[in-house]
Amino acid sequence: MKAVRLEGVGSIALREVGRPSAGPDDLLVRIEACGVCGTDRHLFHGEFPCTPPVTLGHEFSGIVEAIGTAVSGFSVGDRVTGDPNIACGRCPHCHAGRINLCHDLVAIGIRRDGGFAEYVVLPQKQAFPLPKDLKPTHGAFCEPLGCCLHGMDLAQIRPGSSVAVLGGGVIGLLTVQLARLAGATTIMLSTRQASRRALARELGATATVDPSACDIIDTVGPSGLMPGGVDVVFECAGVRETVEQSMRLARAGGTIVVVGVTPQGMKAEFEPFDLLFRELKVLGSFLNPFTHRRAADLIASGAIEIDKLISRQVTLEEAAAVIANPPAPGEVKVLVVPR
């Protein structure tokens, strides 16, 4: 079969590899769609730990082609989405229910072969059913939506809250929709790209800001959009500038949730005095612990707009170039569709 292989830092190519087989507890899934994530680009540039050579792709869904001898609850022909993050179930973090912090976490598409291929092996415990009439491309959004749901769980947004979302990529735009569903009445999204600001307003943002055209900190000033600061700030861009801005946008007693994946080794500055005397709560939101099922249910329900987030679809032959290059202006999500 064809697979997009990361062979080392800065080295990625389409290769012919052996078609895998399902073990006793596995499903063999024929990939219908797999999303290109910012993490894939970090992996390409050596900014996120992984174990090459490996087939990339962790945002995938597809059709069950074969099942292992010990599998129950799934049949050939089922449409499924895969939670790529396989916890050991034995370490102290797993025993405490923090499976995203597992000492021996193995991620499909990072430490074992993933979904930028024609087929992927998925342990049955990582598989979640999707409706057969769901658009094939929608299932690939379960993983990023699951990560956003974890951030929402940490934020504990209450109806009537104010929210700022820094970053207009797929994570930021999904977070806008979840904040709306949670009852936030003021939702501001900040991004330099006009097309993403327009899309954010379509998806539920009550205000958008171009941080290249103004000082975003003015939005929480006496005459700004949210005088006094924001109840919850979601950092969804993964860059130093927005991490630092988030500390200044939150109101006294407010919450900052860092969802964006930054390059390993990046540093940001903040004043501990400000953190202390304004009693800010700063939370990291990593992966999707126990949220993949809810993400699949939300997508199946139609409560989340997906089609407007899909910028384009590419083949496996085109995928390596997409990952090796920055996203095109205004691009939100590129899907790799093998067939």
Side-chain angles (χ1 to χ4, degrees), residues 1 59 93 157 161 163 185 205 225 331:
M1 70 172 186
E59 301 178 357
H93 287 306
I157 293 174
S161 295
V163 170
T185 50
L225 292 170
E331 197 168 78

Side-chain angles (χ1 to χ4, degrees), residues 157-235:
I157 293 174
R158 295 182 295 179
S161 295
S162 58
V163 170
V165 178
L166 307 184
V170 69
I171 297 297
L173 293 169
L174 288 171
T175 298
V176 164
Q177 296 187 66
L178 291 174
R180 173 179 52 81
L181 291 174
T185 50
T186 303
I187 305 170
M188 180 190 77
L189 180 132
S190 171
T191 181
R192 290 182 173 88
Q193 300 190 36
S195 61
R196 291 182 176 184
R197 293 197 301 273
L199 180 54
R201 289 191 290 271
E202 288 183 44
L203 298 176
T206 59
T208 58
V209 174
D210 178 357
S212 66
C214 68
D215 184 352
I216 189 175
I217 307 304
D218 290 342
T219 63
V220 296
S223 59
L225 292 170
M226 291 169 286
V230 185
D231 294 319
V232 180
V233 182
F234 289 95
E235 194 292 311

Side-chain angles (χ1 to χ4, degrees), residues 110-159:
I110 297 176
R111 290 185 59 191
R112 60 181 274 176
D113 289 339
F116 291 145
E118 293 178 275
Y119 296 90
V120 68
V121 171
L122 179 65
Q124 68 167 333
K125 70 172 186 172
Q126 304 299 124
F128 297 85
L130 291 169
K132 290 189 176 181
D133 60 352
L134 186 74
K135 283 189 178 181
T137 51
H138 286 197
F141 283 80
C142 293
E143 194 276 343
L145 182 60
C147 292
C148 295
L149 282 169
H150 181 44
M152 294 293 294
D153 291 344
L154 293 171
Q156 298 181 334
I157 293 174
R158 295 182 295 179

Side-chain angles (χ1 to χ4, degrees), residues 50-98:
C50 71
T51 53
V54 67
T55 299
L56 296 184
H58 57 275
E59 301 178 357
F60 60 86
S61 62
I63 302 297
V64 176
E65 190 91 352
I67 59 175
T69 56
V71 170
S72 62
F74 292 97
S75 301
V76 171
D78 287 348
R79 174 169 284 127
V80 295
T81 169
D83 177 354
N85 301 303
I86 306 170
C88 74
R90 300 181 302 273
C91 71
H93 287 306
C94 285
H95 286 166
R98 296 188 294 267

Side-chain angles (χ1 to χ4, degrees), residues 227-312:
V230 185
D231 294 319
V232 180
V233 182
F234 289 95
E235 194 292 311
C236 299
V239 297
R240 173 176 174 167
E241 180 183 9
T242 50
V243 171
E244 293 176 347
Q245 287 171 347
S246 65
M247 305 285 184
R248 300 176 62 193
L249 287 171
R251 64 166 176 80
T255 298
I256 297 120
V257 183
V258 179
V259 187
V261 178
T262 63
Q264 193 173 23
M266 189 202 84
K267 294 178 173 59
E269 293 183 358
F270 69 93
E271 296 184 24
F273 180 92
D274 194 42
L275 189 69
L276 173 67
F277 279 82
R278 294 178 57 224
E279 201 170 81
L280 299 177
K281 183 188 293 184
V282 183
L283 302 169
S285 177
F286 184 54
L287 302 182
N288 57 342
F290 305 114
T291 57
H292 204 90
R293 169 73 277 164
R294 289 159 54 200
D297 289 344
L298 267 174
I299 286 175
S301 76
I304 301 294
E305 171 59 50
I306 297 296
D307 284 330
K308 292 179 180 179
L309 303 179
I310 301 172
S311 301
R312 57 189 171 118

